[in-house]
Amino acid sequence: MTLFKFCSKTRQLFTFHYLKSFPSFNMESPYFNQRTTRSCFTVKVKVENDAQQLQESSNTAINSAPPRKRKIKEKVEIKYEETETVDSVKKELCNWEPPMWREQLKNIYEMRKNRDAPVDSMGCDVISDALASPEVYRYQVLVSLMLSSQTKDQITSAAMKKLREHGCSIESILQTSDEVLGELIYPVGFWRRKVEYIKKTSRILQEEYNGDIPESVEKLCKLPGVGPKMAYLVMKCAWNQVTGIGVDTHVHRISNRLGWVKKPTKQPEDTRKALEDWLPREHWSEINHLLVGFGQQTCLPVGPKCYECLNKSICPFGKANKKTPSPKKIKKEEVKEETE
């Protein structure tokens, strides 16, 4: 039988006395500090609790370690660099202007000084009845512009003449059948569709605007068959208000040829926005009339007369167009223009 004697106070050493006899043997262990014999052996055992030792050692380390200084978070002031706002960027873009536009415009005024282009005698403000009541006059301006879309001024003027003789007011148009109205405006471009537009627009004006036309571009563009170009021209000619530039096919073409747009544009509405970004407002009221006449006489869509244009040396398109027709062909074109 084995007897154990445990010293609980020190908790460091255990002494075992083995009284029975066993065969002789030798034993080594990390927990023994000497060899053991068969009669009696003393074992020195490490009995400290590992968990307790770990806890005590950690407590000792914490107590002996110097106190940590708590870092005080300093308030850092963040300064942002001033960036360009949308307005400043827009202002920078608006500062762009064509390099030679003043000279080009001056030359166009010189070439248009006679005011003998078709638009000068057949424009929407000219072919409308200025002696009629203000409401009827404004209505006729609107109708004439609706008819002028993709139509030469000569044909538009002839159609308006027939309409005025028939009676060109909201009441008379609504009382006219579609067949008769088509005969009156024929052969303007897309005359069947324009009959429909004129009828619908006249009905809206009668029901919603007391027989008058809208007094804003936004409301005008809501009418059937009326686009931005017509709306801006109506505001100028009918209401005597310049709210924007009316850009038709002539203004669109000439602006791109002269380099009056920062980037080439494909639609007249894009050209309008580009022109309004840099062209001084004092020129807005006249630029459409000026360029339309210039496009009808000199800067033609096909076969432009760059050879006789005053801007041929300062126009990007004119510099590239070196074609000069023969004197015989030039004389033939002049005769054709006189007959028209």
Side-chain angles (χ1 to χ4, degrees):
M1 183 176 183
T2 307
L3 298 177
F4 295 93
K5 188 175 182 180
F6 174 72
C7 182
S8 61
K9 291 183 180 181
T10 61
R11 298 171 64 183
Q12 295 179 354
L13 297 175
F14 284 96
T15 305
F16 298 90
H17 295 280
Y18 203 84
L19 301 178
K20 291 190 176 183
S21 60
F22 286 92
S24 178
F25 64 89
N26 293 331
M27 182 173 66
E28 292 184 0
S29 171
Y31 296 104
F32 293 87
N33 60 354
Q34 62 180 1
R35 291 180 179 276
T36 60
T37 62
R38 70 183 179 92
S39 59
C40 178
F41 62 89
T42 303
V43 184
K44 189 176 182 181
V45 186
K46 184 179 180 182
V47 297
E48 292 181 345
N49 188 290
D50 292 340
Q52 184 176 359
Q53 184 182 9
L54 181 61
Q55 183 178 2
E56 290 177 358
S57 61
S58 61
N59 291 338
T60 304
I62 292 172
N63 294 332
S64 61
R68 293 182 180 180
K69 293 182 180 180
R70 182 175 294 178
K71 292 183 180 181
I72 301 175
K73 294 182 179 181
E74 298 180 357
K75 293 182 178 180
V76 180
E77 184 179 356
I78 301 175
K79 294 183 178 180
Y80 297 94
E81 295 182 0
E82 294 183 359
T83 57
E84 293 181 337
T85 60
V86 176
D87 294 337
S88 62
V89 173
K90 187 176 180 181
K91 184 178 180 181
E92 183 180 351
L93 292 174
C94 292
N95 288 336
W96 177 88
E97 62 179 29
M100 303 290 290
W101 75 271
R102 296 183 188 278
E103 292 80 357
Q104 292 168 340
L105 184 62
K106 183 180 178 181
N107 290 335
I108 294 174
Y109 271 112
E110 177 64 23
M111 290 182 281
R112 290 275 287 119
K113 63 182 180 181
N114 294 328
R115 300 286 173 167
D116 52 359
V119 69
D120 297 314
S121 57
M122 304 175 191
C124 63
D125 53 340
V126 179
I127 59 179
S128 301
D129 188 4
L131 299 178
S133 63
E135 295 83 3
V136 173
Y137 173 75
R138 287 191 286 264
Y139 174 72
Q140 291 183 6
V141 169
L142 176 60
V143 171
S144 66
L145 284 168
M146 293 175 71
L147 295 175
S148 67
S149 176
Q150 299 184 7
T151 306
K152 290 185 176 181
D153 287 343
Q154 295 87 339
I155 297 176
T156 303
S157 178
M160 278 301 298
K161 183 180 179 181
K162 290 188 289 184
L163 279 177
R164 286 174 57 182
E165 293 173 353
H166 171 78
C168 189
S169 64
I170 294 177
E171 294 78 9
S172 62
I173 293 298
L174 289 176
Q175 293 174 4
T176 305
S177 65
D178 292 355
E179 183 180 357
V180 173
L181 184 58
E183 294 174 355
L184 291 171
I185 68 173
Y186 181 84
V188 298
F190 303 100
W191 63 272
R192 290 186 179 88
R193 186 177 299 175
K194 289 177 181 179
V195 168
E196 180 183 352
Y197 288 157
I198 291 172
K199 277 295 190 69
K200 287 183 178 180
T201 296
S202 300
R203 191 170 293 107
I204 293 173
L205 298 180
Q206 186 182 56
E207 295 175 356
E208 299 182 16
Y209 296 97
N210 298 322
D212 208 340
I213 67 173
E215 199 175 354
S216 69
V217 171
E218 182 181 1
K219 293 179 179 179
L220 284 167
C221 288
K222 292 180 180 180
L223 298 175
V226 178
K229 184 260 295 188
M230 298 181 196
Y232 287 113
L233 292 177
V234 168
M235 292 300 297
K236 173 185 173 291
C237 299
W239 291 108
N240 197 26
Q241 296 179 19
V242 180
T243 57
I245 300 174
V247 178
D248 63 353
T249 180
H250 294 290
V251 180
H252 171 66
R253 178 181 70 255
I254 294 169
S255 296
N256 278 271
R257 286 180 175 178
L258 289 172
W260 282 9
V261 289
K262 193 171 184 180
K263 295 180 180 180
T265 55
K266 295 183 178 180
Q267 299 296 329
E269 182 63 11
D270 297 331
T271 304
R272 178 189 68 82
K273 295 176 182 178
L275 286 175
E276 291 179 358
D277 280 342
W278 66 267
L279 186 65
R281 201 177 183 88
E282 61 194 47
H283 298 292
W284 287 16
S285 62
E286 201 173 15
I287 195 67
N288 174 272
H289 197 84
L290 186 73
L291 294 185
V292 169
F294 178 61
Q296 290 174 338
Q297 292 181 311
T298 305
C299 197
L300 305 173
V302 180
K305 302 177 181 180
C306 298
Y307 55 90
E308 65 179 27
C309 180
L310 299 179
N311 287 323
K312 61 183 178 182
S313 61
I314 55 175
C315 171
F317 183 84
K319 289 180 180 180
N321 186 18
K322 302 296 184 180
K323 294 180 180 180
T324 303
S326 62
K328 184 178 180 180
K329 188 175 180 180
I330 293 175
K331 187 176 181 180
K332 185 177 180 180
E333 290 178 353
E334 292 177 352
V335 173
K336 185 178 178 181
E337 289 177 1
E338 291 177 359
T339 56
E340 291 180 352

